[in-house]
Amino acid sequence: MKMVSTPAFRVECAKISEAKTGETVCGDTVSVFENDENYFYCLVSDGMGSGEIAMQTSSFVADFLRGMLFRGYSKDTVLHVLNGLVRAGGAECSATVDLFELDLINAEAQFIKSGAAASYVKRESSIFRIRS
């Protein structure tokens, strides 16, 4: 007999982005995905500055995090390695990270913020502020 856990929750979301006036690309990247361990992730990365360099930096951050989290690496390890990679590039670049993780089996959520402005979560009639 083989037993498997079935997710108790399903997440629906939408995303939209817009380039800064005068730019052709947006410096922000949004990535939404699930891994094989029944975790849902929503990641927002804001490349500092605007235009092509900001877009490349935020895209790199999002792609790296998605790839590593999808493979089951710990969030702490992934963020530590990512910080080293971005700094090792030698160029003046940085990006913020807003990472939301939801356990689709147990409904436990975690927020991780790095360099990003405060986020707000509404639960029933209460609002909670989450800061770096």
Side-chain angles (χ1 to χ4, degrees), residues 11-31:
V11 178
E12 293 182 12
C13 59
K15 61 183 179 178
I16 187 169
S17 64
E18 185 175 339
K20 179 179 175 181
T21 302
E23 297 288 347
T24 58
V25 295
C26 179
D28 302 339
T29 300
V30 178
S31 183

Side-chain angles (χ1 to χ4, degrees), residues 58-79:
S58 69
S59 292
F60 170 78
V61 166
D63 291 346
F64 180 82
L65 285 171
R66 179 184 178 128
M68 299 299 278
L69 292 171
F70 187 79
R71 289 172 182 83
Y73 290 94
S74 79
K75 294 176 294 302
D76 290 339
T77 300
V78 171
L79 289 168

Side-chain angles (χ1 to χ4, degrees), residues 44-112:
V44 178
S45 179
D46 177 4
M48 294 293 97
S50 61
E52 192 69 29
I53 297 295
M55 188 264 313
Q56 289 173 358
T57 304
S58 69
S59 292
F60 170 78
V61 166
D63 291 346
F64 180 82
L65 285 171
R66 179 184 178 128
M68 299 299 278
L69 292 171
F70 187 79
R71 289 172 182 83
Y73 290 94
S74 79
K75 294 176 294 302
D76 290 339
T77 300
V78 171
L79 289 168
H80 182 72
V81 170
L82 175 62
N83 191 42
L85 286 173
V86 170
R87 289 177 183 259
E92 179 70 28
C93 68
S94 62
T96 66
V97 173
D98 274 298
L99 179 64
F100 169 72
E101 176 189 71
L102 174 64
D103 182 331
L104 296 171
I105 304 292
N106 299 317
E108 294 175 357
Q110 185 176 32
F111 291 92
I112 295 176

